[in-house]
Amino acid sequence: MAFCLLPFTISGQQSCEKLRELKISHVEILSAEKIAAGPLSLSGNAAAVSVPARCVVKAISRPVTDSEISIEVWLPLSGWNGKYQQVGNGGWAGNIPRPSLVAALQRGYAAAATNTGHDEGHPDGPAAWAIGHPEKMIDFGHRSLRETTLLAKAVIHSFYGKNPSYSYFVGCSNGGRQALAEAQRYPDDFDGILAGAPANDFTNLLTGFVWNMRALSEDPQSAIPPEKLSVIQKAAVSACDALDGVKDGLIEDPARCQFNPEVLLCQGPENAGCLNASQVKALKKIYAGAVNPRTGEPMYPGFPPGMEAVPGTWLPWIVAEDLSKTLHAGFGTSLYSQAVFENLKWNYRDLNFDRDVTWANRKVGSVVNSTNPDLRSFRARGGKLLQYHGWADAAIPGYGSTEYYRQVQAFLSKYPDGRVNASAPVTDFYRLFMVPGMGHCAGGIGANRFGTAGGPASQDPERDFLTALEYWVEKGVAPQKLIGTGSTVDDPSVPLFRPVCPYPQVAVYNGTGDVNQASSFSCGETRNPQ
């Protein structure tokens, strides 16, 4: 639904306080306040961060009767870079992601965010707000994003007296899903979109979470205790580490890894160094991903091997001493008990992976999933999409990103757009970077940080994903590779620099040179298994 500016004359730049008087249909401006530069405490015991002086506009958008979308727009009082950045939310949202607004403001952006139409903290669960409120699910899925974009651009025009020169959307996880929703549903909103680890096939992803819960609880012997994760990771890395030409404790391309969990099967009584038959079966199911038991068709990809014991990955996402306490359990249960069946007594053991999943995709997936491969309109208007995903992500398997990339590539090959040169490759507007060792959105092991100074100048370590996207949009310089920084797996005191290449390329050791320096690697194909 488009905004309509009611009779209110805009003549040049307005003061911050004057924005309180801005009249926009179905929007209530709650406040417009100048805030001086200084420290800001964002959450818990985290140290306060320094935030530039800003004008903060708070508003509520009510595009339909049951909508109550909170929106904040932050406008730098000085040093505006002339651009707009909209930031995404994590999980089931329900709050304004102010840390992301701070990061945008520190880079000179005018920025905005939304709670997506509901507040977190519902006593019955993180998605209980959806019970009896189908319009709120639409708000969460995509409508709140559009409302935020339109309001923010109107506020920016009123405050600065001009439109932003470039507009960007930046999000990871659910924010990555939101990013792809923008490219698919609202292709004219943004010049550049940065989509990190997108939960774009939202319903099937969370169905996969229930699949993993069922696999680990199929019988009393199925649960994999956290202390066995290191055993699994060691075996997987041993099988596939050298595929990129160097043994460094990282699997560069897990898709090429042919690891068979059967090698871990106990040959005698179960002990800490092996898996029993039920645990091997469960592990195979987690690697393979959810499958429709009637048709045999895959519903969502599984998790790649080799990162099971990386801190913050499989524990606490997939395994725990109490399976009901995993993050997979929390998200999977909330989807089906609250958003799909609207029955708080629903039990994950009752899920029918054929009939129930079909219903979930019809009821919820139609408004929250961002799986449409038709990006022709976004491409034709000159938009650039940069996507990244960590191979050690235990929240959203990296295969989800590679599969969507292949779907877009296949669609555009089959249905070329007359507005664009038919022979132009997908990479002219869409590039995907898969990061070995990176966890969910950040962290993990290996060279998983970007934009970190300190390496040789020739390695260009200062360019992070957003900077690379800016270069692409504003200067026409497409990212050929990025340089990740971190430390070696075996010794955290040894710095590591490694190129991260656009998919499907991977970093391959040249055969000579320091294996901890990016210059010793080239972007190419992985070598065949030994």
Side-chain angles (χ1 to χ4, degrees), residues 41-63:
S41 295
L42 295 170
S43 62
N45 298 320
V49 296
S50 179
V51 185
R54 58 208 179 274
C55 172
V56 174
V57 177
K58 297 182 179 181
I60 298 289
S61 178
R62 301 181 179 93

Side-chain angles (χ1 to χ4, degrees), residues 361-384:
N361 282 317
R362 287 177 180 172
K363 180 180 179 180
V364 180
S366 60
V367 296
V368 304
N369 290 350
S370 304
T371 55
N372 185 354
D374 186 357
L375 299 181
R376 289 176 297 181
S377 293
F378 180 73
R379 180 187 197 178
R381 60 93 64 197
K384 305 300 182 188

